[in-house]
Amino acid sequence: MSAEDLENYETEMELQLYREYKDIAAQFSYVVETERRFYLTNDVQLTPRNADGEVYFELTLRDAWVWDMYRPARFVKTVRVLTFKDVNIEELDKPDLELPGGKSGFGG
């Protein structure tokens, strides 16, 4: 496999992952970013910890989706992350009810 073939493969995998993300993102309430991973989840708990004066964070996510093109299964039941780095947790907006035909809300 040439370097160009590998690059094309990785580009296709990244595009496939992005499409999967777009298809499932509306099912989740939170986006969680760490220095190593990007997650979608409906249940996230962040607990600051202190060990010998060093502060770190413990994250617990349940029923999560992991952005990682090298994972064979991206849906995971429970994720536990320990990190000394920044953690970003954002609550996702839930769009209004979308009716068939692309109209949202009531009254067309």
Side-chain angles (χ1 to χ4, degrees):
M1 181 178 268
S2 71
E4 184 178 334
D5 290 340
L6 182 58
E7 187 175 319
N8 289 340
Y9 173 77
E10 287 182 346
T11 300
E12 181 58 36
M13 290 294 292
E14 193 78 22
L15 183 57
Q16 184 178 350
L17 185 61
Y18 176 72
R19 288 179 183 141
E20 182 178 326
Y21 164 80
K22 284 190 59 138
D23 288 344
I24 58 135
Q27 299 174 30
F28 294 95
S29 298
Y30 299 96
V31 171
V32 178
E33 288 180 89
T34 68
E35 78 276 6
R36 298 194 60 206
R37 295 280 189 272
F38 177 89
Y39 304 90
L40 296 172
T41 187
N42 286 317
D43 181 13
V44 58
Q45 297 172 357
L46 174 68
T47 307
R49 302 280 189 201
N50 190 326
D52 299 324
E54 294 286 332
V55 175
Y56 66 97
F57 301 99
E58 180 178 353
L59 282 162
T60 304
L61 294 77
R62 288 185 178 65
D63 297 321
W65 181 87
V66 184
W67 179 289
D68 186 342
M69 68 182 184
Y70 299 107
R71 279 181 91 89
R74 287 184 273 280
F75 287 95
V76 289
K77 186 173 176 82
T78 304
V79 178
R80 182 172 170 243
V81 178
L82 301 175
T83 181
F84 287 91
K85 306 278 183 165
D86 291 340
V87 174
N88 185 38
I89 301 171
E90 294 181 33
E91 187 170 4
L92 296 171
D93 288 335
K94 294 290 184 180
D96 291 339
L97 173 66
E98 193 163 312
L99 301 174
K103 296 179 180 178
S104 60
F106 294 99

